[in-house]
Amino acid sequence: MATLTIAPTTLCFFSPIPNKTFEFSFPKTSLSFFKPNFLSTTTLSSSTPCLNFILFKRFSRVFCNTFSNVSTNTTHYEFYDDSSEVELRVGLGSKDIHSSKDVFVDADENSLAIRVQHRGSLKTLMENKCLYEKIKPAETIWYIDEDQLVVNLKKQDPDLKWPDIVESWESLTVGVMQLLKGTSIYLVGDSTEINQKIARELAVGLGYTPLNTKELLETCAKQTIDSWVIAEGSDTVAEAESAILESLSSHVRAVVATLGGQHGAAGRADKWRHLYAGFTVWLSPSEATDEDSAKEEARKHIQDGVQGYSNADVVVKLGGWDAAYSKTVAQASLSALKRLILSDKKLPGSCHLITMFSSF
């Protein structure tokens, strides 16, 4: 286990309010994280909730979607990543399987199902509808090694390390942390509360520092956002948050929750200059009843360009909100970010350059 200590930092920014300068000190923080060795031993005994999200890539606006669902009986397996392929070892237990002819492996690019013939009936050992990443199904091989079924899967991207066979919260936090290369994440959307809760989940999972602009603004101004808006108007608050975002744009390994609503900087297209320092996730409430309509809804928002949120790298559509499902939303966000980065692995290194060039 490695421990990273972040020394106390003072954040100073200038307010659009004449003759006011705010200063805020970040406390000393220790972050601990484990270096993954990409060997996983796991027991699956339940189904993972389905995650729906819309993803679009900065500039090219590439849409995609996913469902993450693992359905199995209680199945013990071991997992190894060996560069160009991954190996899955599934315990056969007392099923008395001696020939590979009794094993049926059904694989496509994103999913894997393993069934065995046992006592005249077909039993499901594992059904994973969302592998960690894509495979070459035609090159799948399997054989029996004593009391284990061994399945070798050829990866489409041999350079990508798989933390696990399944795309889950645990595998995504490990895998996306490496893909991000320290690049910060910004949560935007109409609800400050949702932004803060998802930012906290992501920060804990990734080992990043959680920050939220509402807390920073209220600490510096010594008043609540609501009272500030009443006293000086929402434009003033948006300007002040923009100044905070400028100061935070030089920070790495942070998850920043921004203000929601009309007084937030992220909701204004002309205040996005410093949000390009990292990856942005738009947590967007949706009235859609299915995946296709949610996709069309997101596309319409982007085309209209009315809200600044349409500049975001990733859109996660929420069909309602319950704080108990914060980790589920955070997992969908990581899954979308993973696909975005894998579509162009140079993206993490380009975020800060965008901010630098826009400063001239």
Side-chain angles (χ1 to χ4, degrees):
M1 183 178 76
T3 301
L4 171 66
T5 301
I6 301 174
T9 304
T10 299
L11 169 66
C12 181
F13 67 92
F14 297 96
S15 167
I17 306 170
N19 303 320
K20 274 194 180 181
T21 301
F22 298 130
E23 204 170 86
F24 182 81
S25 295
F26 292 104
K28 184 176 181 180
T29 307
S30 292
L31 303 175
S32 298
F33 55 91
F34 292 92
K35 181 179 180 181
N37 59 5
F38 302 103
L39 163 62
S40 173
T41 302
T42 309
T43 300
L44 297 178
S45 58
S46 62
S47 295
T48 302
C50 216
L51 304 177
N52 303 309
F53 64 82
I54 306 297
L55 156 68
F56 62 93
K57 176 182 171 184
R58 186 182 295 154
F59 306 131
S60 61
R61 309 297 192 198
V62 177
F63 290 85
C64 69
N65 57 279
T66 190
F67 296 91
S68 179
N69 191 9
V70 179
S71 176
T72 105
N73 300 318
T74 301
T75 301
H76 176 80
Y77 72 86
E78 297 174 3
F79 171 81
Y80 304 87
D81 186 314
D82 185 23
S83 187
S84 63
E85 64 181 27
V86 292
E87 180 178 283
L88 179 67
R89 287 179 169 264
V90 182
L92 295 174
S94 59
K95 291 183 173 58
D96 195 29
I97 306 297
H98 300 292
S99 170
S100 58
K101 294 180 180 179
D102 295 325
V103 178
F104 302 89
V105 176
D106 184 16
D108 64 24
E109 285 189 341
N110 300 294
S111 66
L112 175 69
I114 302 174
R115 298 177 177 84
V116 295
Q117 191 76 32
H118 180 59
R119 294 178 181 176
S121 63
L122 208 57
K123 303 290 185 182
T124 299
L125 283 184
M126 176 182 290
E127 185 173 7
N128 176 15
K129 295 182 179 179
C130 192
L131 297 172
Y132 184 75
E133 199 34 56
K134 292 182 178 181
I135 62 169
K136 299 177 181 178
E139 298 183 42
T140 300
I141 61 173
W142 64 93
Y143 58 92
I144 294 175
D145 182 12
E146 296 182 350
D147 62 345
Q148 290 184 319
L149 172 66
V150 182
V151 182
N152 290 324
L153 306 169
K154 188 74 70 173
K155 295 189 290 186
Q156 287 196 15
D157 183 352
D159 298 325
L160 178 67
K161 285 292 185 181
W162 289 29
D164 198 354
I165 189 70
V166 181
E167 185 181 85
S168 63
W169 173 251
E170 291 75 15
S171 64
L172 283 168
T173 52
V174 172
V176 175
M177 179 183 68
Q178 294 187 337
L179 292 172
L180 286 169
K181 299 178 181 178
T183 304
S184 292
I185 300 171
Y186 295 83
L187 280 300
V188 304
D190 278 331
S191 172
T192 302
E193 176 197 356
I194 294 176
N195 295 346
Q196 289 175 345
K197 289 188 178 297
I198 305 309
R200 169 63 63 173
E201 291 285 355
L202 289 173
V204 170
L206 295 170
Y208 272 31
T209 302
L211 298 170
N212 78 77
T213 57
K214 179 177 184 289
E215 181 180 299
L216 294 174
L217 285 166
E218 292 182 340
T219 300
C220 295
K222 296 181 174 57
Q223 62 180 322
T224 66
I225 297 298
D226 289 341
S227 63
W228 195 348
V229 170
I230 292 171
E232 304 183 44
S234 59
D235 289 347
T236 302
V237 176
E239 287 290 344
E241 187 184 27
S242 184
I244 276 194
L245 291 171
E246 179 178 5
S247 297
L248 294 178
S249 65
S250 62
H251 284 60
V252 295
R253 296 180 177 86
V255 184
V256 181
T258 64
L259 281 177
Q262 62 180 358
H263 44 264
R268 305 174 181 220
D270 61 338
K271 302 295 182 191
W272 268 70
R273 176 175 168 182
H274 302 294
L275 287 168
Y276 292 125
F279 289 110
T280 47
V281 179
W282 177 12
L283 304 174
S284 173
S286 174
E287 297 180 358
T289 56
D290 56 44
E291 178 193 349
D292 289 338
S293 55
K295 206 170 183 179
E296 184 57 35
E297 183 181 67
R299 184 180 288 108
K300 187 176 185 300
H301 286 157
I302 295 166
Q303 290 173 345
D304 291 346
V306 176
Q307 294 176 303
Y309 306 139
S310 61
N311 291 318
D313 298 308
V314 166
V315 183
V316 178
K317 284 293 184 180
L318 308 176
W321 170 247
D322 185 334
Y325 292 95
S326 294
K327 185 173 285 187
T328 302
V329 177
Q331 181 175 334
S333 302
L334 286 180
S335 186
L337 285 170
K338 183 191 78 172
R339 280 157 177 73
L340 173 66
I341 296 171
L342 291 179
S343 71
D344 184 353
K345 294 180 182 178
K346 295 179 181 179
L347 279 175
S350 66
C351 290
H352 292 286
L353 289 175
I354 293 172
T355 302
M356 288 171 59
F357 286 133
S358 66
S359 299
F360 294 104

